[in-house]
Amino acid sequence: MSRQSARSALRHATSADHERVDAAFSRFDLASRDGYGAFLVAQAAAHLPVEAALDAAGVARVLPDWPQRRRGDRLRADLAAMGLEPAAAEPAAGACIQALSAALADEAGMLGAVYVLEGSRLGGVLLRRSVPDGLPVTFLEAGDSAAWRTLLVTLDERLCSEQDINLAVSAAARVFAVFEASGRSVAEVSGFDD
């Protein structure tokens, strides 16, 4: 019996985490300026610290194309175009970010974290369809299916042991937790909670 691919293991092991993040972010009405702005603020409160944690961990040594994968500047530009500032991570997300930093001590953890950010990039292309014309969407339009395919190959090549896969899953789950906490917090503060 062949071993499950790293990409399949990650997708399966984090599917519930992914669903919780989708539920948290589905509260934002992307078709309205206020809803889309709150969505961007929530994205920034998670995305920017996760990118910073990956930078600090040295992810560019693991993925030489990391500078091209980064989207923080696009997110900041979209926020600025809307007259918004990135929010500081709220306490629950901040605790998740601290836990994430420890999970990025090795290549497997970094790859698991990047897996979540790159999956988010692809999802952004789909979300773009809901945003009205005239609003800044450079963050959402930064999809790159070639980069995603390259990452999937890298995951399968470098996550060779069950331990590596478990480390990647743990880091991915922690990134999802940062996004979930951020989405829920900003939705509540912005009045988009159900």
Side-chain angles (χ1 to χ4, degrees), residues 92-105:
C96 295
I97 291 163
Q98 286 182 338
L100 171 64
S101 294
L104 300 179

Side-chain angles (χ1 to χ4, degrees), residues 64-98:
D65 65 347
W66 172 247
Q68 293 77 40
R69 291 179 182 272
R70 296 178 90 250
R71 292 185 298 151
D73 288 343
R74 290 173 175 260
L75 183 50
R76 285 184 195 92
D78 286 351
L79 285 166
M82 293 189 69
L84 299 171
E85 295 284 332
E90 57 88 37
C96 295
I97 291 163
Q98 286 182 338

Side-chain angles (χ1 to χ4, degrees), residues 33-135:
R33 181 178 179 83
D34 289 345
Y36 180 58
F39 167 85
L40 288 177
V41 168
Q43 283 287 322
H47 188 94
L48 298 177
V50 170
E51 264 193 9
L54 281 161
D55 284 336
V59 71
R61 291 189 311 270
V62 174
L63 293 171
D65 65 347
W66 172 247
Q68 293 77 40
R69 291 179 182 272
R70 296 178 90 250
R71 292 185 298 151
D73 288 343
R74 290 173 175 260
L75 183 50
R76 285 184 195 92
D78 286 351
L79 285 166
M82 293 189 69
L84 299 171
E85 295 284 332
E90 57 88 37
C96 295
I97 291 163
Q98 286 182 338
L100 171 64
S101 294
L104 300 179
D106 53 52
E107 179 177 294
M110 288 185 244
L111 289 172
V114 172
Y115 167 82
V116 177
L117 292 185
E118 287 296 310
S120 166
R121 176 193 302 268
L122 289 182
V125 173
L126 298 174
L127 293 175
R128 163 59 183 103
R129 298 175 188 163
S130 300
V131 180
D133 291 341
L135 294 179

